[in-house]
Amino acid sequence: QLPTGLYKKVLVILHDCILPYMNEPTLMIDFLTVAYGIGGAISLLALNGLFILIHQHNLEYPDFYKKLYSLLDPSIYHVKYRARFFHLADLFLSSSHLPAYLVAAFIKRLSRLALTAPPAALLMVIPFICNLFRRHPACKVLVHRPNGPEDMSEDPYIMEEESPSESRALESSLWEIRALQNHYHPDVAKVAAVLNQSLSEIEDDISGLLELSAYELFDKEVKKKAADVPLEFEQIRGLFGKKNDIFAEHFSLD
């Protein structure tokens, strides 16, 4: 048993400073799988080490995607390890051999959680979802279902279901993204509107969006150069628009 603080410190550096220097990295399988099952930030941090063991040392983890799916909760858009998680999730969901129901469940859950996400996270996750559609065209039924549910009460998708295969995501539609097209932040509304059109075959590069912060968004808006907006289209002639009225006798614009 490790203290939570130490657990996090070890997992942050494990993939980079420990595993590459071990003669048998597979000795860390039990440690990482237990950490992955704890939940919360510790599970997110264990993903890096697990990815190396799966990718380079043939680790088989039967319920890996089910556990990854369970990590998607409202806090995922707010934790400081958000960039690390979505970078790895992008790698794990890149395989074209994944079943459509699994990818659809991830798309639907990310979209539902996006309804309460901050603008900085939305500008990252919507292109992330678009990339999933490009890799897995069978999931586009979520976008092009004309008679899909209009709100949460009619949606067949089961948000509380822990198993992606039982969530009924493929029977649903992405009304959440349609709702985000009316978002108060204009950049979010613009990005969400992309799904109204045919997606290009080239994937969006989300690497520069993973660590986007609210401060950067605010700084961008402050530094934006506004165009000169004409406030008066007709030249003023008097205090109330008339040159020789009674007000002109007693008041002057000078």
Side-chain angles (χ1 to χ4, degrees), residues 175-242:
W175 60 265
E176 297 92 345
I177 301 298
R178 197 182 316 142
L180 291 176
Q181 292 173 3
N182 299 311
H183 197 273
Y184 69 87
H185 196 292
D187 289 348
V188 172
K190 182 179 179 181
V191 171
V194 170
L195 283 175
N196 290 340
Q197 307 165 2
S198 298
L199 291 175
S200 63
E201 295 183 2
I202 302 175
E203 291 190 10
D204 295 323
D205 183 11
I206 64 168
S207 59
L209 302 172
L210 291 175
E211 298 187 22
L212 190 64
S213 66
Y215 175 81
E216 290 174 319
L217 282 183
F218 183 79
D219 191 53
K220 177 184 175 182
E221 290 295 325
V222 170
K223 294 180 178 178
K224 187 181 293 184
K225 292 183 178 180
D228 293 332
V229 180
L231 301 179
E232 184 64 55
F233 63 92
E234 186 176 335
Q235 188 175 1
I236 192 76
R237 294 177 297 171
L239 189 61
F240 289 99
K242 296 181 180 179

Side-chain angles (χ1 to χ4, degrees), residues 33 36 43 46-51 54 59-71 85 88-89 91-93 98 102 106 164:
T33 51
Y36 190 46
S43 290
L47 277 172
N48 264 113
L50 275 178
F51 173 71
I54 292 172
L59 169 65
E60 293 187 8
Y61 196 118
D63 294 328
F64 177 80
Y65 283 98
K66 181 178 178 180
K67 179 61 182 176
L68 184 66
Y69 180 74
S70 70
L71 292 179
F85 172 79
L88 290 170
L91 292 175
F92 293 137
L93 295 171
L98 295 176
L102 177 67
F106 275 90

Side-chain angles (χ1 to χ4, degrees), residues 96-107 136-139 141-142 169-170:
S96 59
H97 299 292
L98 295 176
Y101 75 83
L102 177 67
V103 180
F106 275 90
I107 291 174
H136 308 276
C139 295
V141 66
L142 294 175
L170 272 178

Side-chain angles (χ1 to χ4, degrees), residues 10-20 45 48-49 52 84:
V10 170
L11 290 171
V12 163
I13 65 170
L14 185 68
H15 69 287
D16 194 28
C17 302
I18 298 176
L19 287 180
L45 294 174
N48 264 113
I52 291 177
R84 178 192 294 249

